[in-house]
Amino acid sequence: MFKGTIHKKTALALVVGLVIMLILPNIIPRFYVYLIASILVMALLAMSLNLVVGFGGLFQFHHGVFYGVGAYAIALLLTKTTLPKWICFISAPFAAALAGLIIGLICIRLSKLYFAMIQISLGSLLWALAFRWYGFTGGDDGIHGISMPAALSGVSNSYYFILIIFVLCIIALFLILKSPFGSTLQAARDNEQRCEAIGIFVKRHQLFGIVIASFFAGVAGVLFVVLEGSVFPDLLFWTLSLEILIMCLLGGWFTFAGPIIGAAIMLSLRTSIGIHTEYWTLILGIILALVIFFLPQGVWGYIQEKLKLRKEAVAERGR
Amino acid sequence: MDIASTYGLSEIALQLLVGLSRSMILFIIAAGLSLILGVLRVPNVAHGSLYMIGAFAAYTVNTVVGGAAGFWLSLILAPLFVALLSLIAERALFCHLYEREHLMLLLFTFSLMLILGDMVKLFWGVDYKSVTAPEALKGAVMIFGLPFPKYNLFLLIIGPIVGFGLWLFVSKTRIGKISKAASVDRMMVGALGINVSWVFCIAFVVGCFLAGLGGALVAPTMGITLGMDHTIIMEAFLIVVIGGLGNIWGALVGALIFGITHSLGVLFLPQFAIIFPYLAVVIVLMIWPRGLLKSVW
Amino acid sequence: MLRVENLINSFGDFKAVNGANLTVENGEIVAVIGPNGAGKTTLFNLITGHLKPDSGRILFKGEDISGLPPYTICKKGIARSFQLLNIFPRLTVFENVQVAVLSQHNRSLNLFRPARNMLIEETNRILKSVGLLDKANEIAGSFSHGDQKILEIAIALGNEPEFLILDEPTAGMSPEETTATMGLVKRLTVEQGLTLLFCEHDIDIVFSTADRIMVMQQGKTIIEGTPDEVRKNEQVQQAYIGGD
């Protein structure tokens, strides 16, 4: 399945990394375990966004909606119904994918900024509904104290669950990007006209991409609920969507691992700086501005460029 | 629920007037946003922050000068202050980014929003601030046999005045006409030997002035708090989009739709009042995805 | 195989194509020539579905394809290259052609198997036939203009077309590159049994490669005929030499 897609060295590094991640809860304080779990959730969300923005070229400016839908779906299913827990867990991402299909169908007829604006307005409508519907969604308080199955309660257990799901999703996303669908999506990003000329119904492929991305965003939403035990309307608010965009920018739009790096940087900084000052937003704004001016390819993108240049220099010298 | 028996015609008419007066503020802010969007092609996410700064600055002027004079002065000084800030931001930072893609520009204005938001926290603190209207505008007049706040009447007058002034600026002054041309074809304007960069700067500053004015006008009607920027920018953007990108009359139409549907919401389903405008926006966009009036792009 | 009947297409008041007629038989090489602005590219855009005609018909193998979207027309067996470079600059040469091959084999929605391992033979075969096999792993955007134009043609070939349309395939090339490219095109046409329709500004190329020529001026077809017939035709001489 993976033949020819990863280098042996990278694969080895990943396995080692995974082993380290598995033993972490035993060696570091609980707070850091919680932090890493949060990073994994955000990283998954950012990765799902990058599928359609970085690799698909779509102006998905309110991706947070699908995250929120996934989170609210599982929260509502767990608290308002008596369905078996595992059904709730499985249905929530599909609910998010359904939202992706509906919203995607509406947005896909348009391009660029109009695509973004319709998505933002639809998302805002959902936010407004969640915000005000005290009876159903808990209004601006949200829903709290959602009980998790015993296997998932507690920071360590939820961490393991999140880690496993995260790894599975990343593998899936990796395969998708390397698949013919992934190639086609990227080709459509670069040159939609040419794609149509070679027989590809671009809009259908893009819609498919949106649905897949929404599914994974929904998974991230479920993981959020596992970790926090609650949901709030903030999950559906547009500022979260912009934050995920920032994570992708910070890490690097056109790289695979970029969003993970971006999420890690942003959440770590927020926690560490947040301890010293209440002006984290100011610092984030400055960092963002600096990245836009000086590092638009993102941290990981920059590193990858440097590595490539070094490889080429070595090859040159070898000749 | 029988609306006719719960509310008389006068109640409904009055509520519509209230909605209309709120639309005036939305119009002023959205017009500024539309101007910037039309000329610079930049969705200015920081517009809401400038509105918020306008409100806080108005609070300061009101507190320092006090009385009626304070209020009228704040209507001039607060927007000017915001315009000054925007001038600095544009010349120092913005103008270097015009060649980049829209997404980058948008994210940059988002970074400005984050920075400005915290600057407000730094200078004015986290407490709720309030401004009272001057004596002349306190109280209510009787319309349709029901009390209508004098301040809202004031808004109903100010709105069209600002709109008229903006129209004069865009159609009659040289700068305004150039801005309009630049929004449609910036290369042509540049080819005519006009310094496009300054045109952008002026359009940006005027747009931001309007945001500040909106903030100063809204100050007596609601609590001035952090977080004002988040909600208003969403509403302003939606208004601009349903009106037609870059179209100032469109901003008026959009603001009217937004304000009136909101007041209708307050009448019929108060708990869900804010959903009405969002729903209206969605419906409009489904039928006219490019906005109701012609967009400049 | 292809018949264009009285095609009209306007942009507002401007009639870019105003009564174009064309017939291309199976296995022929036909060229469209005409002064700048004659409507050649617009005609091609109409045939491949990038534009919808106002009136007139386009028949491919007897079927009316006017107004169908480009991806449907492509699946019917027509492929084209573009006048202004239209490749995928961020992908490698191999990936550029492979996207077309994947589309042709209806694999573009496949999710879970690496594309890398699919349809390698077919893609390499095409790359080999145009002489780009040794550069397969380079990023397309970094190539010379001439090589990118050849890549354009290779991408079109990825769709295993029966009918190939080339829009100014040698534009911007040096004389050596031009001769080499046209030689390549002619060879491929014969080898793969393609029917070829192209347009060019270089008259020598046209006269030496095409079986028949269609001349356009101001959106209208002036004449369709063999190179000799066209050469002798007075209207054509007027269009090219007389006037401006």
Side-chain angles (χ1 to χ4, degrees):
Chain A
M1 198 166 55
F2 284 106
K3 188 174 102 132
T5 46
I6 342 178
H7 293 162
K8 283 215 176 71
K9 268 198 243 171
T10 324
L12 191 61
L14 287 173
V15 171
V16 171
L18 186 58
V19 171
I20 296 180
M21 298 283 277
L22 282 168
I23 50 177
L24 272 180
N26 301 321
I27 38 178
I28 58 177
R30 222 172 68 142
F31 174 73
Y32 288 106
V33 176
Y34 168 79
L35 177 63
I36 295 181
S38 320
I39 291 178
L40 290 177
V41 174
M42 277 291 125
L44 179 59
L45 181 57
M47 294 285 288
S48 70
L49 173 65
N50 203 25
L51 178 67
V52 285
V53 177
F55 291 101
L58 298 170
F59 278 34
Q60 184 98 328
F61 289 178
H62 207 343
H63 194 64
V65 175
F66 309 114
Y67 174 66
V69 167
Y72 266 94
I74 192 172
L76 291 168
L77 284 171
L78 282 176
T79 53
K80 309 259 177 191
T81 69
T82 48
L83 290 167
K85 304 247 161 140
W86 67 271
I87 292 190
C88 303
F89 273 82
I90 307 263
S91 323
F94 281 100
L98 182 62
L101 180 63
I102 298 175
I103 294 183
L105 270 171
I106 301 175
C107 300
I108 203 77
R109 299 180 289 154
L110 307 161
S111 57
K112 303 225 167 202
L113 199 61
Y114 295 102
F115 174 97
M117 295 313 301
I118 287 221
Q119 192 174 81
I120 292 177
S121 60
L122 288 167
S124 303
L125 182 60
L126 280 177
W127 167 81
L129 274 171
F131 190 70
R132 283 293 194 204
W133 206 345
Y134 290 106
F136 188 53
T137 62
D140 58 339
D141 287 329
I143 304 176
H144 297 269
I146 306 170
S147 64
M148 288 285 134
L152 300 177
S153 334
V155 175
S156 288
N157 289 338
S158 49
Y159 169 81
Y160 282 122
F161 181 68
I162 292 175
L163 180 62
I164 295 171
I165 302 288
F166 175 79
V167 170
L168 287 174
C169 289
I170 295 299
I171 293 177
L173 279 168
F174 184 72
L175 286 174
I176 290 174
L177 274 169
K178 291 290 178 192
S179 73
F181 173 72
S183 297
T184 311
L185 197 64
Q186 291 177 69
R189 168 199 66 196
D190 284 345
N191 201 331
E192 197 173 317
Q193 187 192 36
R194 197 76 179 88
C195 271
E196 303 245 309
I198 55 176
I200 294 175
F201 187 1
V202 171
K203 298 262 184 236
R204 183 191 296 162
H205 286 70
Q206 287 175 334
L207 182 61
F208 199 34
I210 294 176
V211 171
I212 295 176
S214 313
F215 179 82
F216 285 107
V219 174
V222 169
L223 293 180
F224 175 84
V225 174
V226 168
L227 187 62
E228 304 283 345
S230 24
V231 286
F232 336 90
D234 278 359
L235 297 177
L236 291 161
F237 201 55
W238 63 275
T239 43
L240 176 65
S241 297
L242 277 186
E243 275 179 25
I244 340 173
L245 279 169
I246 297 179
M247 288 181 206
C248 288
L249 170 66
L250 198 52
W253 297 113
F254 300 114
T255 63
F256 182 72
I260 302 179
I261 311 269
I265 295 178
M266 189 143 129
L267 277 163
S268 324
L269 279 179
R270 179 190 292 168
T271 322
S272 54
I273 293 179
I275 298 178
H276 300 291
T277 163
E278 53 180 301
Y279 296 110
W280 154 246
T281 326
L282 174 65
I283 306 211
L284 176 62
I286 297 179
I287 293 177
L288 178 60
L290 287 173
V291 169
I292 291 175
F293 268 102
F294 301 119
L295 211 61
Q297 70 275 54
V299 169
W300 189 239
Y302 177 75
I303 294 177
Q304 294 230 316
E305 270 178 31
K306 285 286 171 216
L307 285 176
K308 206 170 93 172
L309 284 174
R310 195 185 298 170
K311 229 194 283 180
E312 284 169 11
V314 167
E316 275 296 316
R317 261 183 265 132
R319 287 209 203 123
Chain B
M1 181 168 39
D2 189 2
I3 306 299
S5 65
T6 340
Y7 298 108
L9 208 55
S10 17
E11 263 102 357
I12 298 180
L14 195 76
Q15 188 63 12
L16 284 178
L17 270 184
V18 171
L20 207 62
S21 55
R22 288 224 191 93
S23 299
M24 291 298 111
I25 296 189
L26 287 173
F27 162 60
I28 293 174
I29 300 164
L33 186 62
S34 216
L35 181 63
I36 298 175
L37 192 58
V39 178
L40 285 82
R41 312 264 167 120
V42 174
N44 182 19
V45 181
H47 208 69
S49 319
L50 295 166
Y51 155 85
M52 182 168 76
I53 293 179
F56 275 93
Y59 161 80
T60 303
V61 173
N62 266 292
T63 334
V64 165
V65 177
F71 174 75
W72 297 110
L73 214 54
S74 74
L75 287 187
I76 305 175
L77 290 182
L80 277 178
F81 174 64
V82 170
L84 184 65
L85 272 182
S86 61
L87 178 66
I88 298 173
E90 203 271 343
R91 285 289 99 186
L93 303 166
F94 236 85
C95 59
H96 303 292
L97 288 175
Y98 288 141
E99 294 315 311
R100 304 283 199 95
E101 321 154 13
H102 287 183
L103 181 57
M104 289 303 200
L105 283 168
L106 181 127
L107 286 177
F108 180 70
T109 59
F110 184 57
S111 75
L112 278 180
M113 178 184 125
L114 297 173
I115 295 175
L116 289 173
D118 261 10
M119 303 287 263
V120 169
K121 190 157 80 166
L122 196 65
F123 288 123
W124 278 283
V126 300
D127 295 323
Y128 174 111
K129 305 270 185 284
S130 64
V131 165
T132 41
E135 281 308 315
L137 296 177
K138 274 203 209 150
V141 289
M142 290 314 233
I143 299 187
F144 305 132
L146 294 161
F148 184 62
K150 278 195 196 160
Y151 195 77
N152 288 52
L153 195 58
F154 168 63
L155 288 176
L156 278 175
I157 301 174
I158 272 276
I161 295 180
V162 172
F164 183 64
L166 193 58
W167 175 77
L168 275 179
F169 171 71
V170 172
S171 333
K172 303 293 176 189
T173 66
R174 185 158 183 272
I175 298 174
K177 283 195 254 200
I178 296 176
S179 302
K180 200 160 163 196
S183 68
V184 176
D185 193 337
R186 72 170 73 157
M187 276 205 280
M188 198 55 216
V189 169
L192 290 172
I194 300 171
N195 190 338
V196 179
S197 184
W198 274 110
V199 175
F200 283 5
C201 185
I202 292 172
F204 187 70
V205 171
V206 170
C208 294
F209 176 89
L210 289 170
L213 180 61
L217 282 171
V218 96
T221 69
M222 56 188 256
I224 306 174
T225 55
L226 301 171
M228 281 169 82
D229 50 352
H230 288 198
T231 14
I232 198 69
I233 188 65
M234 178 56 32
E235 300 180 350
F237 256 118
L238 293 176
I239 290 173
V240 165
V241 170
I242 60 174
L245 296 175
N247 188 323
I248 302 198
W249 293 120
L252 180 62
V253 171
L256 288 173
I257 294 179
F258 212 89
I260 293 178
T261 50
H262 188 259
S263 22
L264 289 177
V266 168
L267 266 183
F268 299 156
L269 272 178
Q271 190 194 344
F272 291 105
I274 57 166
I275 299 199
F276 279 62
Y278 286 120
L279 195 56
V281 167
V282 169
I283 294 174
V284 168
L285 283 182
M286 305 268 260
I287 311 176
W288 297 276
R290 294 224 153 70
L292 289 163
L293 297 175
K294 219 175 79 155
S295 107
V296 179
W297 288 13
Chain C
M1 194 181 241
L2 177 79
R3 187 198 299 276
V4 172
E5 292 173 359
N6 252 315
L7 216 52
I8 298 184
N9 182 264
S10 9
F11 294 109
D13 284 334
F14 171 60
K15 282 197 161 58
V17 171
N18 193 5
N21 289 296
L22 177 66
T23 312
V24 184
E25 302 296 341
N26 225 324
E28 271 195 310
I29 298 181
V30 175
V32 177
I33 60 175
N36 268 328
K40 308 188 289 293
T41 299
T42 313
L43 176 63
F44 285 3
N45 281 337
L46 287 163
I47 297 175
T48 57
H50 288 91
L51 285 173
K52 277 202 185 35
D54 295 339
S55 70
R57 289 201 306 170
I58 307 169
L59 297 163
F60 182 64
K61 295 201 287 191
E63 194 192 333
D64 190 346
I65 61 170
S66 358
L68 289 177
Y71 47 88
T72 315
I73 292 184
C74 173
K75 292 277 186 205
K76 292 198 187 289
I78 301 179
R80 83 175 271 184
S81 76
F82 290 79
Q83 178 184 17
L84 294 173
L85 271 182
N86 231 350
I87 58 174
F88 303 113
R90 274 194 266 252
L91 304 179
T92 64
V93 167
F94 179 84
E95 286 166 347
N96 262 268
V97 177
Q98 193 192 34
V99 181
V101 177
L102 286 169
S103 166
Q104 185 59 21
H105 288 254
N106 285 320
R107 297 278 186 89
S108 60
L109 285 169
N110 260 9
L111 276 184
F112 287 114
R113 295 168 61 224
R116 219 159 192 250
N117 307 331
M118 277 189 192
L119 297 169
I120 304 182
E121 265 181 45
E122 288 83 346
T123 312
N124 280 340
R125 191 171 22 96
I126 296 173
L127 286 173
K128 188 157 177 223
S129 67
V130 299
L132 283 176
L133 188 56
D134 49 341
K135 300 188 188 154
N137 287 322
E138 293 184 31
I139 303 285
S142 62
F143 269 10
S144 69
H145 181 82
D147 277 341
Q148 284 184 348
K149 287 233 88 159
I150 298 187
L151 182 58
E152 267 275 353
I153 300 176
I155 296 176
L157 289 173
N159 283 115
E160 290 169 26
E162 298 169 55
F163 192 87
L164 183 60
I165 302 180
L166 300 179
D167 196 343
E168 299 205 25
T170 67
M173 284 187 182
S174 67
E176 304 85 46
E177 285 177 322
T178 304
T179 329
T181 307
M182 287 318 289
L184 172 69
V185 168
K186 196 149 187 184
R187 177 169 58 81
L188 287 171
T189 312
V190 170
E191 271 177 21
Q192 299 183 17
L194 297 172
T195 308
L196 179 65
L197 173 65
F198 72 103
C199 80
E200 258 301 339
H201 275 296
D202 189 334
I203 300 294
D204 296 323
I205 296 284
V206 170
F207 277 91
S208 63
T209 323
D211 296 330
R212 282 192 312 118
I213 301 175
M214 189 268 261
V215 185
M216 278 183 87
Q217 190 191 15
Q218 289 174 347
K220 247 191 279 262
T221 302
I222 311 183
I223 176 178
E224 265 185 274
T226 63
D228 275 336
E229 288 169 7
V230 169
R231 216 192 309 255
K232 295 196 187 102
N233 184 284
E234 270 188 27
Q235 258 188 305
V236 174
Q237 290 175 356
Q238 255 290 332
Y240 271 97
I241 303 159
D244 62 349

